[in-house]
């Protein structure tokens, strides 16, 4: 296996293929040898698993995934990387790359076609510019995956993995909590990448879970309410929800009271059980 975290090897590849990093595509490749094996191991790259990877770069993480999992299918938007991957991933016949924008890829179909009889998981060092849209797309597609293990900007990790009912939580926390449980696995410093970004990163894992999907009666009502509440997070729920739901303040107060909530409650004070009760009472 080529040592793709070795600066000398990377420089040779850059020169041989005339490759230049695209800032617009979030191309910061991992050069810290300790990180990819850890992502692969936490990310369920193991026997019996098919792994979807998003964004291959030169294949640093892809190789660690392919060395452990039954099969790896990567979605990479930049066609300039294909000849590089032909070389760097040549020893793995369980690796395939699809040259496409992941946001335009039907991942459910990909799983059905590529991973028959296998359990599945997603692993990626995500490009920063589309972190939240990719995570939301992965969750909203309700893919049959056991885990989504991704590297994101540290601040995004803090938001996504915040506890509901705390100041750190936001609309994305509430959205992620609807679909599953998120946790930060470990932090990764900016010096672990080439070129180095000007932010630190963290690897997070979201494990899909049906607890709140089952408890919340009306999904679209839940998303309408959390969107409206967190868009005006400084306001009380009475104020933010009366405009988001076009209801009078008295109507909102009566639902809050029925849900056991104070009429001065704000969105960052509610845990998932409180949101569930509130949304179901609006139903
Ligand atoms: N996995 C490699 C690593 O860890 O070194 C590369 C990670 S780099 C942060 C992000 C990768 O995602 C790049 O290879 C980039 O070209 C690719 N990418 C960016 N936007 C994408 C998109 N919309 N769909 C698929 N791949 C994308």
């Amino acid at each position: 296996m080529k040592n793709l975290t070795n600066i000398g090897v990377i420089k040779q590849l850059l020169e041989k293929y005339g490759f230049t990093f695209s800032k617009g595509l979030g191309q910061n490749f991992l050069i810290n040898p300790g990180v990819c094996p850890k992502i692969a191991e936490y990310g369920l790259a193991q026997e019996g698993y098919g792994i979807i990877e998003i964004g291959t770069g030169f294949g640093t993480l892809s190789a660690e995934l392919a060395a452990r999992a039954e099969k790896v299918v990567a979605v990479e938007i930049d066609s300039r990387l294909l000849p590089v991957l032909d070389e760097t991933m040549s020893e793995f016949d369980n690796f395939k790359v699809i040259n496409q924008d992941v946001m335009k890829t039907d991942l459910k179909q990909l799983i059905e076609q590529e991973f028959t009889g296998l359990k599945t998981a997603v692993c990626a060092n995500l490009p920063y510019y589309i972190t939240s849209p990719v995570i939301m797309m992965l969750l909203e597609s309700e893919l049959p995956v056991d885990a989504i293990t991704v590297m994101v900007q540290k601040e995004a990790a803090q938001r996504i993995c915040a506890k509901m009912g705390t100041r750190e939580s936001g609309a994305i926390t509430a959205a992620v909590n609807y679909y599953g449980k998120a946790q930060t696995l470990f932090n990764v410093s900016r010096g672990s990448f080439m070129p180095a970004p000007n932010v630190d990163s963290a690897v997070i894992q979201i494990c899909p879970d049906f607890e709140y999907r089952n408890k919340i009666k009306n999904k679209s009502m839940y998303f309408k309410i959390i969107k409206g509440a967190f868009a005006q997070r400084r306001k009380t729920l009475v104020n933010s929800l009366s405009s988001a739901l076009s209801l009078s303040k008295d109507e909102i107060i009566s639902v809050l009271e029925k849900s056991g909530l104070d009429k001065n409650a704000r969105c960052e004070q509610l845990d998932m059980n409180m949101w569930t009760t509130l949304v179901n009472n609006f139903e």
Side-chain angles (χ1 to χ4, degrees), residues 30 35 39 124-126 149-153 188 193 201-204:
L30 272 162
V35 176
I39 300 179
N125 168 13
L126 286 179
T149 309
V150 288
M151 172 119 58
V152 300
Q153 195 176 321
V188 179
F193 300 88
S201 295
V203 176
I204 63 166

Side-chain angles (χ1 to χ4, degrees), residues 109-124:
Q109 194 183 59
L110 184 154
I111 290 174
E112 279 166 20
Q113 288 173 349
E114 303 284 349
F115 298 142
T116 315
L118 295 177
K119 295 187 197 173
T120 50
V122 175
C123 282

Side-chain angles (χ1 to χ4, degrees), residues 19 22 24-31 36 39 53-62 75-78 80-81 98 100-105 124-130 134 151 193-194:
F19 188 85
S22 158
L25 290 178
Q27 290 179 341
N28 303 96
F29 296 174
L30 272 162
I31 52 164
C36 290
I39 300 179
E53 188 192 7
I54 299 163
T56 58
F58 284 172
T60 323
L61 176 58
S62 323
V75 182
E76 169 56 60
I77 199 170
D78 188 348
R80 298 174 307 150
L81 288 167
I98 298 174
Q100 236 167 254
D101 179 346
V102 72
M103 296 301 289
K104 297 183 182 149
T105 305
N125 168 13
L126 286 179
Y128 294 143
Y129 79 103
I130 44 166
V134 169
M151 172 119 58
F193 300 88
M194 182 178 173

Side-chain angles (χ1 to χ4, degrees), residues 221 224-225 228 240-248 252 282:
M221 178 66 94
K224 196 170 175 184
I225 286 177
S240 59
L241 294 185
S242 74
S243 61
L245 302 176
S246 310
L247 291 172
S248 73
I252 304 286
F282 273 110

Side-chain angles (χ1 to χ4, degrees), residues 157-158 161 182-187 202-205:
Q158 284 163 349
C161 300
Q183 60 167 324
T184 298
L185 298 177
F186 57 94
N187 293 327
V203 176
I204 63 166
Q205 186 165 65

